[in-house]
Amino acid sequence: MIRIAIANQKGGVGKTTTAINIATAMAASGWRTLLVDIDPQGNASTGLGIPARDRDYSTYDLLMREGTAQQCIQQTRIPKLDCIPATQDLSGAEVELVGEEDRIDRLKTMLSEVDSSYDVCFFDCPPSLGLLTVNALSAADSLLVPLQCEFFALEGLSQLLQTVERVQQGINPSLKIIGVTLTMFDRRNRLTDQVAEDVRECLGGLVFDTVIPRNVRLSEAPSHGLPALIYDHSCAGSRAYMSLARELLGRLPAERKAA
């Protein structure tokens, strides 16, 4: 199972929207896909149509060893896409795990039982660089970074890259950045173009060619409990995420791709 963390410590950059729609696109391409919601807000779970009342087992139970991965996994309405949902209890996990010896790689250990059941797993991380995100980076093979096309996003990116370097040095040497995707792109805004140009100049080939535009349908879809790709597959946002998924497929290790 290929494991990809979707992370950026800055909030409001499109992490959850990216996680939901890229996971849906991969499932639509025939990949057995698991989305692990590791954000206490639980927005990815809601966006996939799993109401809070139905989250009997969650990522919190997984991290606290109060439920197995199989118990925590829920099917979604999208074929080949399953989810481990999050609840607000997860916000206390960082404190409760402090004294545990395996606090950094608990997620990796607990997911090992379903490793052969899926082709790819995505982690929707919280907007912080705390223990929950570190657990995801420890468990992941690679990192996908959504980056909002605004000035302050560049400062946040440098902090994230430093964290990735520390994780590589001390926790997960095999972790790599599979790509940076530019989100909330507005061609009417000259600053958007400038930020995109600066990011490409700085990171070169790490930046995906596909950019995710500002799109009303992307914003509306979660309120219906649906990914935008299902809510309106023809909107600009949906088309962009399908294009991003194709690019992502091209960057995955050939020997580990689904048949």
Side-chain angles (χ1 to χ4, degrees):
M1 180 170 71
I2 298 172
R3 302 179 181 189
I4 302 173
I6 300 177
N8 188 327
Q9 82 278 11
K10 189 177 184 301
V13 300
K15 285 187 303 296
T16 298
T17 299
T18 297
I20 291 172
N21 287 289
I22 201 73
T24 300
M26 294 294 284
S29 298
W31 288 56
R32 297 171 300 167
T33 306
L34 176 65
L35 175 57
V36 180
D37 190 350
I38 198 166
D39 185 345
Q41 297 177 85
N43 290 336
S45 310
T46 302
L48 287 176
I50 304 174
R53 64 178 180 274
D54 292 340
R55 302 172 199 176
D56 297 326
Y57 286 93
S58 67
T59 315
Y60 172 82
D61 299 297
L62 189 69
L63 289 173
M64 303 311 298
R65 298 187 188 277
E66 296 177 4
T68 65
Q70 286 286 5
Q71 288 175 316
C72 295
I73 289 172
Q74 292 195 29
Q75 291 183 332
T76 71
R77 288 178 282 180
I78 297 120
K80 292 186 179 293
L81 175 57
D82 294 342
C83 176
I84 297 182
T87 61
Q88 291 183 353
D89 293 340
L90 192 57
S91 60
E94 295 201 20
V95 176
E96 296 179 56
L97 285 172
V98 164
E100 302 292 331
E101 290 186 5
D102 64 342
R103 61 186 177 276
I104 291 175
D105 55 8
R106 179 71 64 87
L107 183 62
K108 178 180 181 180
T109 301
M110 294 300 289
L111 284 176
S112 60
E113 71 167 287
V114 296
D115 199 61
S116 61
S117 300
Y118 296 94
D119 301 311
V120 64
C121 172
F122 293 98
F123 303 110
D124 182 33
C125 298
S128 70
L129 296 176
L131 188 56
L132 295 176
T133 297
V134 170
N135 252 273
L137 296 179
S138 172
D141 305 308
S142 53
L143 171 65
L144 192 159
V145 183
L147 187 69
Q148 186 179 4
C149 293
E150 292 188 358
F151 174 75
F152 289 120
L154 297 176
E155 289 188 348
L157 179 61
S158 65
Q159 296 172 17
L160 180 63
L161 294 178
Q162 291 171 11
T163 299
V164 171
E165 187 175 347
R166 288 196 293 270
V167 170
Q168 290 170 330
Q169 292 173 351
I171 302 171
N172 184 1
S174 63
L175 179 68
K176 65 176 183 177
I177 298 176
I178 198 166
V180 174
T181 181
L182 299 172
T183 62
M184 302 182 184
F185 190 86
D186 187 349
R187 296 190 183 278
R188 299 169 299 177
N189 188 333
R190 291 179 60 185
L191 178 61
T192 294
D193 285 319
Q194 185 60 55
V195 171
E197 184 178 326
D198 290 346
V199 172
R200 293 189 188 281
E201 184 176 336
C202 177
L203 298 177
L206 273 181
V207 185
F208 288 104
D209 291 334
T210 301
V211 296
I212 309 301
R214 285 192 178 276
N215 183 249
V216 173
R217 306 299 266 178
L218 287 179
S219 302
E220 290 177 349
S223 66
H224 296 271
L226 292 170
L229 270 70
I230 305 297
Y231 179 65
D232 184 352
H233 67 88
S234 64
C235 74
S238 294
R239 294 197 304 271
Y241 275 115
M242 286 301 294
S243 176
L244 179 63
R246 287 191 290 270
E247 277 197 77
L248 179 62
L249 282 167
R251 297 190 182 192
L252 294 177
E255 69 276 8
R256 299 187 62 182
K257 291 182 181 178

